[in-house]
Amino acid sequence: DTNHNKKFIYMNTDKGKSLILFDQLCQIKASEIDSRDKDALLKDGSKICLKNISFEKLQTALPKNRFCRINKQEIIAIDIVNHFSFDQITSNILNEQNKPLMFYLSEVYRNAFLEKVKI
């Protein structure tokens, strides 16, 4: 795996070419404005828009051991997972209301997720 030791990736964003650190990345989801774009949430709470990139491309670019696609609309970092049930993931990232961010785990991606969290 060539990405194994990489710490970051350069991506086209709404701010130009941006350096995205893997350990700062929590979640990537499909943009509600333009489906070709993805919204990335960083651990400091800031958001950045990744321009014109597919989930397939992202999954190739991100270290496989650290990120997992969990449904059609989202990829999350494994290290934000606090606990999970059959179809729901509770993260250690808090939203504006100081509640943990919750994610939907779809059946299609469940096995891959379970394999990554090694249960």
Side-chain angles (χ1 to χ4, degrees), residues 97-114:
Q97 290 79 41
N98 262 353
K99 301 252 186 315
L101 281 182
M102 310 287 270
F103 300 100
Y104 168 65
L105 178 60
S106 77
E107 198 177 333
V108 179
Y109 299 101
R110 185 175 299 123
N111 286 344
F113 172 77
L114 294 175

Side-chain angles (χ1 to χ4, degrees), residues 70-116:
I70 53 166
N71 59 50
K72 255 178 67 158
Q73 304 288 321
E74 293 175 298
I75 292 175
I76 62 167
I78 299 294
D79 68 359
I80 69 164
V81 174
N82 219 359
H83 42 257
F84 56 90
S85 63
F86 185 65
D87 61 356
Q88 192 169 297
I89 298 167
T90 306
S91 76
N92 54 24
I93 306 293
L94 299 179
N95 64 15
E96 290 83 9
Q97 290 79 41
N98 262 353
K99 301 252 186 315
L101 281 182
M102 310 287 270
F103 300 100
Y104 168 65
L105 178 60
S106 77
E107 198 177 333
V108 179
Y109 299 101
R110 185 175 299 123
N111 286 344
F113 172 77
L114 294 175
E115 214 157 273
K116 289 190 188 195

Side-chain angles (χ1 to χ4, degrees), residues 41-57:
L41 174 67
L42 303 179
K43 290 203 172 127
D44 63 5
S46 65
K47 292 189 168 103
I48 192 162
C49 178
L50 311 175
K51 301 300 281 179
N52 201 8
I53 188 162
S54 68
F55 277 118
E56 289 68 32
K57 272 221 182 85

